[in-house]
Amino acid sequence: MQDTAAIREELDSKTRASTLFAVIVMTVEQKPAAQQHFRTPLVFTIQEAKGLEYENIILYNFW
């Protein structure tokens, strides 16, 4: 998906109350930006997510 405000808002509205979705970022520096867009406590770096299992994963700004 493209990184647009509309898509971020749609993903946030569908995932913020769910424990089935986690947001993964590449570095700790990217976490604050992801937390601004996704109102879920389930925002992790790759290292933090190691060993955790979620049904759905959102990869935020991996390019």
PDB file of all heavy atoms in Angstrom, residues 39-61:
ATOM      1  N   ARG A  39      -2.848   4.255  16.650  1.00  0.00           N
ATOM      2  CA  ARG A  39      -3.152   4.374  18.083  1.00  0.00           C
ATOM      3  C   ARG A  39      -3.272   2.985  18.714  1.00  0.00           C
ATOM      4  O   ARG A  39      -4.328   2.586  19.183  1.00  0.00           O
ATOM      5  CB  ARG A  39      -4.427   5.177  18.274  1.00  0.00           C
ATOM      6  CG  ARG A  39      -4.235   6.636  17.874  1.00  0.00           C
ATOM      7  CD  ARG A  39      -5.501   7.386  17.888  1.00  0.00           C
ATOM      8  NE  ARG A  39      -6.240   7.014  16.667  1.00  0.00           N
ATOM      9  CZ  ARG A  39      -7.454   7.415  16.377  1.00  0.00           C
ATOM     10  NH1 ARG A  39      -8.116   8.154  17.211  1.00  0.00           N
ATOM     11  NH2 ARG A  39      -8.023   7.046  15.254  1.00  0.00           N
ATOM     12  N   THR A  40      -2.196   2.267  18.687  1.00  0.00           N
ATOM     13  CA  THR A  40      -2.120   0.959  19.309  1.00  0.00           C
ATOM     14  C   THR A  40      -0.832   0.882  20.113  1.00  0.00           C
ATOM     15  O   THR A  40       0.173   1.473  19.717  1.00  0.00           O
ATOM     16  CB  THR A  40      -2.144  -0.175  18.258  1.00  0.00           C
ATOM     17  OG1 THR A  40      -2.015  -1.434  18.930  1.00  0.00           O
ATOM     18  CG2 THR A  40      -1.059  -0.023  17.218  1.00  0.00           C
ATOM     19  N   PRO A  41      -0.847   0.183  21.220  1.00  0.00           N
ATOM     20  CA  PRO A  41       0.405   0.004  21.953  1.00  0.00           C
ATOM     21  C   PRO A  41       1.318  -1.041  21.313  1.00  0.00           C
ATOM     22  O   PRO A  41       2.442  -1.219  21.733  1.00  0.00           O
ATOM     23  CB  PRO A  41      -0.063  -0.458  23.333  1.00  0.00           C
ATOM     24  CG  PRO A  41      -1.381  -1.100  23.073  1.00  0.00           C
ATOM     25  CD  PRO A  41      -1.991  -0.361  21.911  1.00  0.00           C
ATOM     26  N   LEU A  42       0.830  -1.711  20.286  1.00  0.00           N
ATOM     27  CA  LEU A  42       1.563  -2.808  19.657  1.00  0.00           C
ATOM     28  C   LEU A  42       2.431  -2.313  18.501  1.00  0.00           C
ATOM     29  O   LEU A  42       2.285  -2.722  17.350  1.00  0.00           O
ATOM     30  CB  LEU A  42       0.587  -3.886  19.175  1.00  0.00           C
ATOM     31  CG  LEU A  42      -0.339  -4.439  20.256  1.00  0.00           C
ATOM     32  CD1 LEU A  42      -1.320  -5.425  19.657  1.00  0.00           C
ATOM     33  CD2 LEU A  42       0.463  -5.078  21.372  1.00  0.00           C
ATOM     34  N   VAL A  43       3.353  -1.399  18.814  1.00  0.00           N
ATOM     35  CA  VAL A  43       4.320  -0.891  17.840  1.00  0.00           C
ATOM     36  C   VAL A  43       5.695  -1.364  18.306  1.00  0.00           C
ATOM     37  O   VAL A  43       6.112  -1.060  19.424  1.00  0.00           O
ATOM     38  CB  VAL A  43       4.282   0.645  17.733  1.00  0.00           C
ATOM     39  CG1 VAL A  43       5.336   1.146  16.757  1.00  0.00           C
ATOM     40  CG2 VAL A  43       2.901   1.114  17.310  1.00  0.00           C
ATOM     41  N   PHE A  44       6.374  -2.130  17.458  1.00  0.00           N
ATOM     42  CA  PHE A  44       7.640  -2.750  17.833  1.00  0.00           C
ATOM     43  C   PHE A  44       8.700  -2.531  16.754  1.00  0.00           C
ATOM     44  O   PHE A  44       8.380  -2.429  15.582  1.00  0.00           O
ATOM     45  CB  PHE A  44       7.477  -4.271  17.990  1.00  0.00           C
ATOM     46  CG  PHE A  44       6.410  -4.685  18.938  1.00  0.00           C
ATOM     47  CD1 PHE A  44       5.186  -5.137  18.478  1.00  0.00           C
ATOM     48  CD2 PHE A  44       6.633  -4.641  20.306  1.00  0.00           C
ATOM     49  CE1 PHE A  44       4.192  -5.534  19.357  1.00  0.00           C
ATOM     50  CE2 PHE A  44       5.648  -5.044  21.197  1.00  0.00           C
ATOM     51  CZ  PHE A  44       4.421  -5.489  20.715  1.00  0.00           C
ATOM     52  N   THR A  45       9.956  -2.523  17.169  1.00  0.00           N
ATOM     53  CA  THR A  45      11.041  -2.635  16.194  1.00  0.00           C
ATOM     54  C   THR A  45      11.170  -4.118  15.847  1.00  0.00           C
ATOM     55  O   THR A  45      10.588  -4.976  16.528  1.00  0.00           O
ATOM     56  CB  THR A  45      12.382  -2.147  16.780  1.00  0.00           C
ATOM     57  OG1 THR A  45      12.749  -3.004  17.854  1.00  0.00           O
ATOM     58  CG2 THR A  45      12.309  -0.698  17.222  1.00  0.00           C
ATOM     59  N   ILE A  46      11.951  -4.417  14.839  1.00  0.00           N
ATOM     60  CA  ILE A  46      12.158  -5.806  14.449  1.00  0.00           C
ATOM     61  C   ILE A  46      12.716  -6.599  15.627  1.00  0.00           C
ATOM     62  O   ILE A  46      12.258  -7.705  15.918  1.00  0.00           O
ATOM     63  CB  ILE A  46      13.109  -5.891  13.237  1.00  0.00           C
ATOM     64  CG1 ILE A  46      12.476  -5.233  12.021  1.00  0.00           C
ATOM     65  CG2 ILE A  46      13.480  -7.337  12.945  1.00  0.00           C
ATOM     66  CD1 ILE A  46      13.422  -5.057  10.852  1.00  0.00           C
ATOM     67  N   GLN A  47      13.673  -6.019  16.335  1.00  0.00           N
ATOM     68  CA  GLN A  47      14.303  -6.717  17.454  1.00  0.00           C
ATOM     69  C   GLN A  47      13.317  -6.959  18.594  1.00  0.00           C
ATOM     70  O   GLN A  47      13.333  -8.009  19.230  1.00  0.00           O
ATOM     71  CB  GLN A  47      15.517  -5.930  17.978  1.00  0.00           C
ATOM     72  CG  GLN A  47      16.678  -5.876  17.021  1.00  0.00           C
ATOM     73  CD  GLN A  47      16.483  -4.841  15.905  1.00  0.00           C
ATOM     74  OE1 GLN A  47      15.661  -3.945  16.004  1.00  0.00           O
ATOM     75  NE2 GLN A  47      17.235  -4.984  14.836  1.00  0.00           N
ATOM     76  N   GLU A  48      12.460  -5.993  18.870  1.00  0.00           N
ATOM     77  CA  GLU A  48      11.482  -6.138  19.953  1.00  0.00           C
ATOM     78  C   GLU A  48      10.421  -7.188  19.621  1.00  0.00           C
ATOM     79  O   GLU A  48       9.899  -7.847  20.512  1.00  0.00           O
ATOM     80  CB  GLU A  48      10.789  -4.801  20.230  1.00  0.00           C
ATOM     81  CG  GLU A  48      11.695  -3.749  20.797  1.00  0.00           C
ATOM     82  CD  GLU A  48      11.066  -2.383  20.822  1.00  0.00           C
ATOM     83  OE1 GLU A  48      10.125  -2.113  20.043  1.00  0.00           O
ATOM     84  OE2 GLU A  48      11.525  -1.555  21.630  1.00  0.00           O
ATOM     85  N   ALA A  49      10.108  -7.340  18.352  1.00  0.00           N
ATOM     86  CA  ALA A  49       9.060  -8.270  17.938  1.00  0.00           C
ATOM     87  C   ALA A  49       9.551  -9.707  17.833  1.00  0.00           C
ATOM     88  O   ALA A  49       8.742 -10.626  17.710  1.00  0.00           O
ATOM     89  CB  ALA A  49       8.481  -7.820  16.597  1.00  0.00           C
ATOM     90  N   LYS A  50      10.844  -9.901  17.895  1.00  0.00           N
ATOM     91  CA  LYS A  50      11.402 -11.247  17.747  1.00  0.00           C
ATOM     92  C   LYS A  50      10.806 -12.183  18.800  1.00  0.00           C
ATOM     93  O   LYS A  50      10.834 -11.899  19.990  1.00  0.00           O
ATOM     94  CB  LYS A  50      12.920 -11.210  17.874  1.00  0.00           C
ATOM     95  CG  LYS A  50      13.561 -12.537  17.587  1.00  0.00           C
ATOM     96  CD  LYS A  50      15.060 -12.428  17.628  1.00  0.00           C
ATOM     97  CE  LYS A  50      15.665 -13.801  17.345  1.00  0.00           C
ATOM     98  NZ  LYS A  50      17.103 -13.762  17.339  1.00  0.00           N
ATOM     99  N   GLY A  51      10.250 -13.273  18.335  1.00  0.00           N
ATOM    100  CA  GLY A  51       9.640 -14.260  19.215  1.00  0.00           C
ATOM    101  C   GLY A  51       8.173 -14.017  19.498  1.00  0.00           C
ATOM    102  O   GLY A  51       7.503 -14.887  20.030  1.00  0.00           O
ATOM    103  N   LEU A  52       7.653 -12.845  19.166  1.00  0.00           N
ATOM    104  CA  LEU A  52       6.235 -12.566  19.355  1.00  0.00           C
ATOM    105  C   LEU A  52       5.455 -13.044  18.138  1.00  0.00           C
ATOM    106  O   LEU A  52       5.980 -13.072  17.030  1.00  0.00           O
ATOM    107  CB  LEU A  52       6.000 -11.065  19.556  1.00  0.00           C
ATOM    108  CG  LEU A  52       6.714 -10.420  20.742  1.00  0.00           C
ATOM    109  CD1 LEU A  52       6.444  -8.930  20.754  1.00  0.00           C
ATOM    110  CD2 LEU A  52       6.249 -11.059  22.040  1.00  0.00           C
ATOM    111  N   GLU A  53       4.206 -13.385  18.343  1.00  0.00           N
ATOM    112  CA  GLU A  53       3.375 -13.839  17.232  1.00  0.00           C
ATOM    113  C   GLU A  53       2.083 -13.041  17.204  1.00  0.00           C
ATOM    114  O   GLU A  53       1.399 -12.933  18.220  1.00  0.00           O
ATOM    115  CB  GLU A  53       3.057 -15.330  17.374  1.00  0.00           C
ATOM    116  CG  GLU A  53       4.275 -16.209  17.236  1.00  0.00           C
ATOM    117  CD  GLU A  53       3.925 -17.689  17.275  1.00  0.00           C
ATOM    118  OE1 GLU A  53       2.757 -18.041  17.024  1.00  0.00           O
ATOM    119  OE2 GLU A  53       4.824 -18.477  17.558  1.00  0.00           O
ATOM    120  N   TYR A  54       1.780 -12.491  16.051  1.00  0.00           N
ATOM    121  CA  TYR A  54       0.530 -11.773  15.824  1.00  0.00           C
ATOM    122  C   TYR A  54      -0.077 -12.289  14.535  1.00  0.00           C
ATOM    123  O   TYR A  54       0.637 -12.648  13.596  1.00  0.00           O
ATOM    124  CB  TYR A  54       0.769 -10.251  15.739  1.00  0.00           C
ATOM    125  CG  TYR A  54       1.119  -9.667  17.072  1.00  0.00           C
ATOM    126  CD1 TYR A  54       2.441  -9.519  17.460  1.00  0.00           C
ATOM    127  CD2 TYR A  54       0.130  -9.304  17.961  1.00  0.00           C
ATOM    128  CE1 TYR A  54       2.772  -9.020  18.696  1.00  0.00           C
ATOM    129  CE2 TYR A  54       0.445  -8.800  19.209  1.00  0.00           C
ATOM    130  CZ  TYR A  54       1.768  -8.665  19.566  1.00  0.00           C
ATOM    131  OH  TYR A  54       2.103  -8.162  20.803  1.00  0.00           O
ATOM    132  N   GLU A  55      -1.388 -12.298  14.508  1.00  0.00           N
ATOM    133  CA  GLU A  55      -2.087 -12.796  13.331  1.00  0.00           C
ATOM    134  C   GLU A  55      -1.843 -11.909  12.115  1.00  0.00           C
ATOM    135  O   GLU A  55      -1.742 -12.392  10.995  1.00  0.00           O
ATOM    136  CB  GLU A  55      -3.586 -12.884  13.633  1.00  0.00           C
ATOM    137  CG  GLU A  55      -4.369 -13.662  12.613  1.00  0.00           C
ATOM    138  CD  GLU A  55      -5.773 -13.952  13.085  1.00  0.00           C
ATOM    139  OE1 GLU A  55      -5.970 -14.299  14.257  1.00  0.00           O
ATOM    140  OE2 GLU A  55      -6.676 -13.813  12.247  1.00  0.00           O
ATOM    141  N   ASN A  56      -1.730 -10.604  12.346  1.00  0.00           N
ATOM    142  CA  ASN A  56      -1.539  -9.634  11.264  1.00  0.00           C
ATOM    143  C   ASN A  56      -0.415  -8.675  11.629  1.00  0.00           C
ATOM    144  O   ASN A  56      -0.315  -8.227  12.770  1.00  0.00           O
ATOM    145  CB  ASN A  56      -2.827  -8.839  11.033  1.00  0.00           C
ATOM    146  CG  ASN A  56      -3.993  -9.733  10.734  1.00  0.00           C
ATOM    147  OD1 ASN A  56      -4.098 -10.286   9.659  1.00  0.00           O
ATOM    148  ND2 ASN A  56      -4.875  -9.911  11.708  1.00  0.00           N
ATOM    149  N   ILE A  57       0.392  -8.330  10.636  1.00  0.00           N
ATOM    150  CA  ILE A  57       1.519  -7.423  10.834  1.00  0.00           C
ATOM    151  C   ILE A  57       1.432  -6.284   9.815  1.00  0.00           C
ATOM    152  O   ILE A  57       1.216  -6.520   8.633  1.00  0.00           O
ATOM    153  CB  ILE A  57       2.861  -8.153  10.622  1.00  0.00           C
ATOM    154  CG1 ILE A  57       2.992  -9.333  11.567  1.00  0.00           C
ATOM    155  CG2 ILE A  57       4.043  -7.206  10.750  1.00  0.00           C
ATOM    156  CD1 ILE A  57       3.104  -8.959  13.022  1.00  0.00           C
ATOM    157  N   ILE A  58       1.633  -5.071  10.283  1.00  0.00           N
ATOM    158  CA  ILE A  58       1.740  -3.902   9.408  1.00  0.00           C
ATOM    159  C   ILE A  58       3.200  -3.477   9.442  1.00  0.00           C
ATOM    160  O   ILE A  58       3.751  -3.164  10.494  1.00  0.00           O
ATOM    161  CB  ILE A  58       0.842  -2.748   9.889  1.00  0.00           C
ATOM    162  CG1 ILE A  58      -0.627  -3.181   9.855  1.00  0.00           C
ATOM    163  CG2 ILE A  58       1.078  -1.497   9.036  1.00  0.00           C
ATOM    164  CD1 ILE A  58      -1.573  -2.191  10.508  1.00  0.00           C
ATOM    165  N   LEU A  59       3.848  -3.505   8.286  1.00  0.00           N
ATOM    166  CA  LEU A  59       5.236  -3.060   8.177  1.00  0.00           C
ATOM    167  C   LEU A  59       5.195  -1.576   7.821  1.00  0.00           C
ATOM    168  O   LEU A  59       4.754  -1.213   6.739  1.00  0.00           O
ATOM    169  CB  LEU A  59       5.978  -3.859   7.106  1.00  0.00           C
ATOM    170  CG  LEU A  59       6.009  -5.363   7.312  1.00  0.00           C
ATOM    171  CD1 LEU A  59       6.690  -6.035   6.140  1.00  0.00           C
ATOM    172  CD2 LEU A  59       6.709  -5.717   8.607  1.00  0.00           C
ATOM    173  N   TYR A  60       5.677  -0.746   8.721  1.00  0.00           N
ATOM    174  CA  TYR A  60       5.583   0.701   8.520  1.00  0.00           C
ATOM    175  C   TYR A  60       6.906   1.257   7.999  1.00  0.00           C
ATOM    176  O   TYR A  60       7.937   1.143   8.652  1.00  0.00           O
ATOM    177  CB  TYR A  60       5.196   1.388   9.838  1.00  0.00           C
ATOM    178  CG  TYR A  60       5.037   2.874   9.704  1.00  0.00           C
ATOM    179  CD1 TYR A  60       3.970   3.401   9.011  1.00  0.00           C
ATOM    180  CD2 TYR A  60       5.968   3.735  10.246  1.00  0.00           C
ATOM    181  CE1 TYR A  60       3.816   4.770   8.883  1.00  0.00           C
ATOM    182  CE2 TYR A  60       5.826   5.103  10.131  1.00  0.00           C
ATOM    183  CZ  TYR A  60       4.764   5.607   9.430  1.00  0.00           C
ATOM    184  OH  TYR A  60       4.619   6.966   9.292  1.00  0.00           O
ATOM    185  N   ASN A  61       6.847   1.878   6.821  1.00  0.00           N
ATOM    186  CA  ASN A  61       8.005   2.538   6.185  1.00  0.00           C
ATOM    187  C   ASN A  61       9.233   1.629   6.096  1.00  0.00           C
ATOM    188  O   ASN A  61      10.307   1.989   6.552  1.00  0.00           O
ATOM    189  CB  ASN A  61       8.363   3.833   6.913  1.00  0.00           C
ATOM    190  CG  ASN A  61       7.437   4.953   6.534  1.00  0.00           C
ATOM    191  OD1 ASN A  61       6.724   4.892   5.540  1.00  0.00           O
ATOM    192  ND2 ASN A  61       7.441   6.002   7.316  1.00  0.00           N
TER     193      ASN A  61
END
